Amino acid sequence: MQKLQFQPMPHLLGIEWAPMNIPLTRRLQTLGALHFFFITLFTPVLVLTVPFYMLYTIAWPLIVVYALWLIYDWGSPKRGAYRSEWFQRQRIHSWYANYFPVQMHTTAEMPEEHSYLIGYHPHGIISMAAFINFATNGTGILDTLPRIRFHLCTLVGQFWTPWRREWGLLHGMIDCSRESIKHVLEHEEKGKAVVLVVGGAEEALDAHPGCHILTLKKRKGFVKIALQTGAQLVPCYSFGENDIFNQAENPKGSTIRQFQTIMKRILGFSPPAKPINTVLGAPIPVTKTPNPTQEQIDTLHETYMNSLRELFEAHKTRFDVSPTTQLVIN
């Protein structure tokens, strides 16, 4: 019998896409990935250009209607969004998760009588697994922890794009401001979890395959919020998040690194498959302290970093990281 030869498709946007002559299951997984990239990368271009065309057609009233809706709904990213499990459970999210694949591994219970602030690491190029794991049910988080309602934080600029902002809000996404995070965590209804990609765009600059470099040592704002709200801190690490893109070499001081830093300051992000395994650590108990001292913040921050290191060490060899590899925290 002649062996079927798969012909790989060309690289596109730094991604090695699945070949054409493959089973339907793999085609659907590719569709899931295309769906994500269309919404995150191409939709902004469409929705910011099409309205100008609509102004000269009979459809112009739709622009007015949406503008009124936008004024009315402008504060939703800071008010907890309007999360819909129906949207989060769409099958296309499972296809997307299986494209890599992405898998979620929980290590402890998360009782619903508490609220949680989850620190997600590393940022990677665009934090793909963070979206898959916590804004959708692609890896089954809604079934694994059914009584916890997750809200993934993203840049406020993500809510400036018409239509895509509603798409994000329906997936429970909120902006990453202090006001937005505290609104969710201080809500009288417990069992809520805010997921914050702590390293941000600065950490994305170190997102090279095989690297485990975090921007965390001076990031203490999230710890202060945890103390003020009494939310338990939960470390989370995604093995493989940095490995799905091949980023150009950009050592500190290089021209490309300087350019990326400038673009990060202007745009809020740094310009840009392998399995991704996300490990959700055990919650760190936090005593609510409305006015925490710097010493209390520093102590809890050190506890959090130690828990994250322990999580990394406990699981790194399980997910093909060399036993000698260390987690670097800058």
Side-chain angles (χ1 to χ4, degrees), residues 135-175:
T136 81
N137 196 46
T139 55
I141 193 71
L142 301 182
D143 302 312
T144 304
L145 298 169
R147 298 185 182 278
I148 304 299
R149 292 164 296 286
F150 294 91
H151 293 274
L152 175 64
C153 294
T154 188
L155 294 172
V156 65
Q158 299 286 354
F159 298 103
W160 295 347
T161 304
W163 186 78
R164 192 179 69 165
R165 70 181 297 277
E166 285 76 27
W167 179 84
L169 291 167
L170 286 166
H171 286 83
M173 299 174 74
I174 59 175
D175 77 41

Side-chain angles (χ1 to χ4, degrees), residues 82-193:
Y82 27 82
R83 176 178 174 272
S84 166
E85 282 202 14
W86 185 85
F87 274 90
Q88 293 178 308
R89 289 182 180 274
Q90 291 297 297
R91 187 171 297 179
I92 199 164
H93 296 318
S94 297
W95 296 342
Y96 180 35
N98 291 329
Y99 177 82
F100 296 93
V102 179
Q103 292 184 310
M104 166 65 78
H105 308 271
T106 56
T107 62
E109 296 292 329
M110 292 178 64
E112 62 178 311
E113 60 265 24
H114 299 291
S115 290
Y116 303 91
L117 180 50
I118 300 172
Y120 180 90
H121 312 271
H123 183 285
I125 298 297
I126 53 177
S127 303
M128 287 187 180
F131 171 79
I132 294 172
N133 282 309
F134 299 109
T136 81
N137 196 46
T139 55
I141 193 71
L142 301 182
D143 302 312
T144 304
L145 298 169
R147 298 185 182 278
I148 304 299
R149 292 164 296 286
F150 294 91
H151 293 274
L152 175 64
C153 294
T154 188
L155 294 172
V156 65
Q158 299 286 354
F159 298 103
W160 295 347
T161 304
W163 186 78
R164 192 179 69 165
R165 70 181 297 277
E166 285 76 27
W167 179 84
L169 291 167
L170 286 166
H171 286 83
M173 299 174 74
I174 59 175
D175 77 41
C176 56
S177 67
R178 181 183 303 270
E179 174 189 353
S180 178
I181 296 172
K182 292 183 73 173
H183 177 87
V184 173
L185 296 178
E186 289 179 336
H187 198 279
E188 60 182 15
E189 182 183 4
K190 299 300 180 182
K192 294 190 175 185

Side-chain angles (χ1 to χ4, degrees), residues 14-306:
I15 306 167
E16 183 178 350
W17 298 93
M20 294 297 291
N21 54 332
I22 55 174
L24 176 61
T25 299
R26 188 57 175 166
R27 288 181 182 271
L28 293 175
Q29 293 168 1
T30 304
L31 176 63
L34 287 170
H35 165 261
F36 175 80
F37 281 101
F38 176 78
I39 290 177
T40 57
L41 299 178
F42 298 113
T43 296
V45 177
L46 291 176
V47 299
L48 292 176
T49 55
V50 171
F52 290 101
Y53 168 77
M54 293 174 62
L55 285 172
Y56 299 95
T57 70
I58 60 173
W60 68 266
L62 294 177
I63 300 177
V64 176
V65 171
Y66 184 79
L68 293 173
W69 158 255
L70 199 59
I71 294 171
Y72 170 79
D73 192 54
W74 188 254
S76 287
K78 296 185 183 298
R79 297 195 299 262
Y82 27 82
R83 176 178 174 272
S84 166
E85 282 202 14
W86 185 85
F87 274 90
Q88 293 178 308
R89 289 182 180 274
Q90 291 297 297
R91 187 171 297 179
I92 199 164
H93 296 318
S94 297
W95 296 342
Y96 180 35
N98 291 329
Y99 177 82
F100 296 93
V102 179
Q103 292 184 310
M104 166 65 78
H105 308 271
T106 56
T107 62
E109 296 292 329
M110 292 178 64
E112 62 178 311
E113 60 265 24
H114 299 291
S115 290
Y116 303 91
L117 180 50
I118 300 172
Y120 180 90
H121 312 271
H123 183 285
I125 298 297
I126 53 177
S127 303
M128 287 187 180
F131 171 79
I132 294 172
N133 282 309
F134 299 109
T136 81
N137 196 46
T139 55
I141 193 71
L142 301 182
D143 302 312
T144 304
L145 298 169
R147 298 185 182 278
I148 304 299
R149 292 164 296 286
F150 294 91
H151 293 274
L152 175 64
C153 294
T154 188
L155 294 172
V156 65
Q158 299 286 354
F159 298 103
W160 295 347
T161 304
W163 186 78
R164 192 179 69 165
R165 70 181 297 277
E166 285 76 27
W167 179 84
L169 291 167
L170 286 166
H171 286 83
M173 299 174 74
I174 59 175
D175 77 41
C176 56
S177 67
R178 181 183 303 270
E179 174 189 353
S180 178
I181 296 172
K182 292 183 73 173
H183 177 87
V184 173
L185 296 178
E186 289 179 336
H187 198 279
E188 60 182 15
E189 182 183 4
K190 299 300 180 182
K192 294 190 175 185
V194 170
V195 183
L196 180 66
V197 186
V198 180
E202 180 65 28
E203 189 172 276
L205 301 180
D206 290 314
H208 296 282
C211 292
H212 301 274
I213 304 173
L214 306 183
T215 301
L216 176 60
K217 192 169 292 184
K218 296 182 180 179
R219 300 284 172 105
K220 301 181 180 181
F222 75 105
V223 174
K224 183 176 181 179
I225 293 176
L227 283 165
Q228 290 173 332
T229 62
Q232 296 194 352
L233 280 173
V234 184
C236 180
Y237 197 90
S238 277
F239 296 88
E241 180 74 63
N242 282 346
D243 299 328
I244 54 179
F245 283 98
N246 288 316
Q247 185 175 191
E249 290 298 322
N250 60 346
K252 291 185 177 181
S254 65
T255 301
I256 188 171
R257 180 72 169 228
Q258 292 172 356
F259 172 75
Q260 287 178 312
T261 300
I262 292 171
M263 294 304 293
K264 175 180 71 69
R265 290 173 181 169
I266 296 173
L267 302 176
F269 61 89
S270 50
K274 176 184 175 180
I276 303 175
N277 288 280
T278 302
V279 184
L280 192 60
I284 301 170
V286 175
T287 300
K288 185 173 182 179
T289 310
N291 297 296
T293 64
Q294 190 59 51
E295 182 180 2
Q296 290 173 314
I297 294 172
D298 292 343
T299 299
L300 181 55
H301 184 260
E302 188 65 31
T303 299
Y304 177 84
M305 289 195 297
N306 289 337

